[in-house]
Amino acid sequence: EKTRDVGGVWRENYADFGLQVPRDLYEFPGFPWPRDRKWEWFPKGPEVQEYIQRYAKEFGLHDLCKFETAVLEVAPRKGSRGWTVKYQ
């Protein structure tokens, strides 16, 4: 991840935009939108960003990410599964 947190395009490109479908159609399997707050039916970028951050925290994804690191190249591994990733 090029920046210091998860979120990718929602954080960088869609802060002023929102979902074009109801939030229930845009949720990760097994992780419904948390009920501890009121979410817009068509959440804007900051709400989607918060949802993604909560998902990452819930499943420990921060430990698997390399933050503040730009990806320079990605290519499928030859002869095996997976990817070769070149980064800064």
Side-chain angles (χ1 to χ4, degrees):
E1 172 59 51
K2 185 169 73 171
T3 65
R4 64 177 189 249
D5 201 357
V6 297
V9 298
W10 283 104
R11 182 192 56 252
E12 297 296 320
N13 301 330
Y14 297 125
D16 296 330
F17 298 99
L19 295 180
Q20 295 178 348
V21 298
R23 69 175 180 267
D24 293 349
L25 297 177
Y26 187 90
E27 63 184 30
F28 296 113
F31 192 74
W33 289 77
R35 295 182 182 206
D36 64 346
R37 66 165 286 200
K38 182 177 174 154
W39 303 91
E40 293 295 326
W41 188 239
F42 293 87
K44 299 281 188 220
E47 285 186 306
V48 176
Q49 173 68 20
E50 181 181 341
Y51 172 75
I52 292 169
Q53 288 171 320
R54 287 178 178 220
Y55 179 85
K57 183 176 180 182
E58 177 73 20
F59 293 100
L61 299 181
H62 288 93
D63 295 336
L64 303 173
C65 294
K66 187 167 181 69
F67 293 103
E68 296 182 330
T69 304
V71 173
L72 304 173
E73 183 180 329
V74 177
R77 290 185 179 165
K78 295 179 182 173
S80 67
R81 295 175 61 178
W83 300 86
T84 298
V85 179
K86 291 183 182 178
Y87 54 89
Q88 273 182 327

